[in-house]
Amino acid sequence: STYGAGECFAYAATKDPLAKQRAKKAFEALRFLSQVTQGGTPPALPGFPARSILPTSGDDPNVLYRTVESDRRGHARNPLWKVLIPRWPVSADKKWYWKADTSSDELDGHYFFNAIYYDLVADTEEEKQRVRDVVVPMTDHLIENNYQLIDHDGKATRWGRFSPVDLNGDVIQGARGLNSLSVLAYLKTAEHMTGDPKYRKAYYDLVDTHSYATNVLESKRRNGPGTGNQSDDEMAFMAYYIILQYETDPRLRKMYEWSLRWHWIFEEPENCPLFNFIFAARDD
């Protein structure tokens, strides 16, 4: 998704058809992650993207990487670790293993890329509809399942948890600000692409009833450059980019911009071009 987003920006800046071709290939690869989970053994709910894929012509990853025994050891150390059987189901056409237990990391990448691709690369209504056909099921999946990403076992994935109970109850310790920011960005993306008022309603329910915009004010708990999980920083900045592209409410924009500035202070010494450009573009 981050590679594809780079190609989207390249196309927007240069109109180079090769950049669009690359961006389109990235879109189709990400789209496939949502398609491969459907109708297999066992099937996932609509809107559930695979974490990864491997061809069934190779070794069985259920034996090679994560076994039931290793899952049980992981669960003993951390109750949120899932004992998932199988961790790599087989697709309906029997050609692919797809990895389950998809995380908020993957969702942030999907929404970041799809939003940029929709706005900067999808030049025709047919192309835009193809993006909506990916984003709408993912967003509806979350809304219909109390803002949890539900695995093929009928339970939430380890990190795909965005519900008020999970975040305000601190079931996902340390992720309250980041996951609040993420799910608000998801809903804004769906509203932007479809104009469907149900996404706006869901967004303001989380903001007004469950204080998600307030949660965003503390998107990063650890202080100081280089602290904490830096993949979380990347996830946060992807979500900041989306939400500041689409949010028009002055009150909420001010809160999100304050949060971004506070987060960027810790990232500034790292000289990350992506973070710096997102911060610089916050008022556009």
Side-chain angles (χ1 to χ4, degrees):
S1 64
T2 47
Y3 161 78
E7 294 298 334
C8 292
F9 287 126
Y11 177 68
T14 67
K15 296 303 178 185
D16 181 350
L18 186 57
K20 179 170 183 175
Q21 180 182 339
R22 290 169 176 156
K24 187 173 182 179
K25 287 181 70 175
F27 168 73
E28 292 299 334
L30 288 170
R31 175 180 177 272
F32 183 68
L33 292 177
S34 293
Q35 303 298 311
V36 73
T37 62
Q38 302 302 296
T41 309
L45 293 174
F48 186 98
R51 195 180 184 111
S52 185
I53 54 171
L54 286 171
T56 52
S57 58
D59 293 331
D60 184 348
N62 292 295
V63 176
L64 192 62
Y65 298 123
R66 271 284 173 188
T67 64
V68 175
E69 290 73 20
S70 64
D71 273 355
R72 286 174 177 156
R73 289 194 297 270
H75 181 74
R77 292 190 298 269
N78 184 341
L80 289 178
W81 183 268
K82 296 191 69 171
V83 179
L84 193 58
I85 307 171
R87 186 162 290 273
W88 293 78
V90 176
S91 62
D93 62 8
K94 310 299 184 186
K95 294 181 179 180
W96 301 97
Y97 293 108
W98 59 268
K99 192 176 184 181
D101 201 21
T102 302
S103 172
S104 55
D105 304 58
E106 284 79 38
L107 289 184
D108 282 352
H110 280 279
Y111 279 92
F112 178 65
F113 172 80
N114 282 317
I116 295 169
Y117 183 82
Y118 184 90
D119 289 340
L120 302 182
V121 178
D123 296 321
T124 68
E125 175 56 28
E126 180 181 359
E127 289 175 312
K128 288 185 180 296
Q129 184 59 50
R130 198 164 176 81
V131 184
R132 288 192 288 266
D133 288 343
V134 173
V135 169
V136 166
M138 281 198 296
T139 313
D140 288 351
H141 178 115
L142 293 172
I143 293 174
E144 292 165 6
N145 292 287
N146 192 28
Y147 300 104
Q148 292 184 329
L149 188 61
I150 300 300
D151 228 323
H152 65 74
D153 64 352
K155 301 176 183 178
T157 67
R158 183 184 182 189
W159 293 111
R161 297 167 181 256
F162 309 91
S163 75
V165 170
D166 288 321
L167 301 187
N168 291 341
D170 217 13
V171 173
I172 305 296
Q173 187 174 13
R176 177 182 295 162
L178 177 58
N179 280 24
S180 294
L181 172 62
S182 293
V183 73
L184 292 177
Y186 305 162
L187 292 168
K188 268 297 175 188
T189 301
E191 180 193 359
H192 170 74
M193 290 183 181
T194 67
D196 191 327
K198 76 177 181 180
Y199 301 117
R200 182 178 181 84
K201 181 179 182 298
Y203 177 87
Y204 274 101
D205 177 61
L206 293 180
V207 167
D208 294 334
T209 306
H210 300 289
S211 303
Y212 272 38
T214 302
N215 292 348
V216 172
L217 293 175
E218 190 183 39
S219 63
K220 183 180 178 73
R221 284 191 172 182
R222 296 174 179 87
N223 296 332
T227 58
N229 184 341
Q230 291 185 305
S231 67
D232 288 351
D233 298 326
E234 182 181 17
M235 292 161 62
F237 274 76
M238 289 191 290
Y240 282 129
Y241 178 85
I242 295 172
I243 208 161
L244 288 173
Q245 287 291 309
Y246 300 147
E247 182 57 79
T248 59
D249 184 319
R251 175 180 64 94
L252 294 176
R253 280 195 66 88
K254 186 174 182 179
M255 295 175 74
Y256 301 149
E257 288 173 1
W258 189 95
S259 175
L260 171 57
R261 181 173 183 82
W262 182 80
H263 200 136
W264 182 73
I265 288 171
F266 303 122
E267 303 308 314
E268 182 183 10
E270 297 178 13
N271 294 318
C272 173
L274 175 63
F275 297 171
N276 289 346
F277 278 116
I278 289 174
F279 178 73
R282 67 195 183 281
D283 293 326
D284 291 348

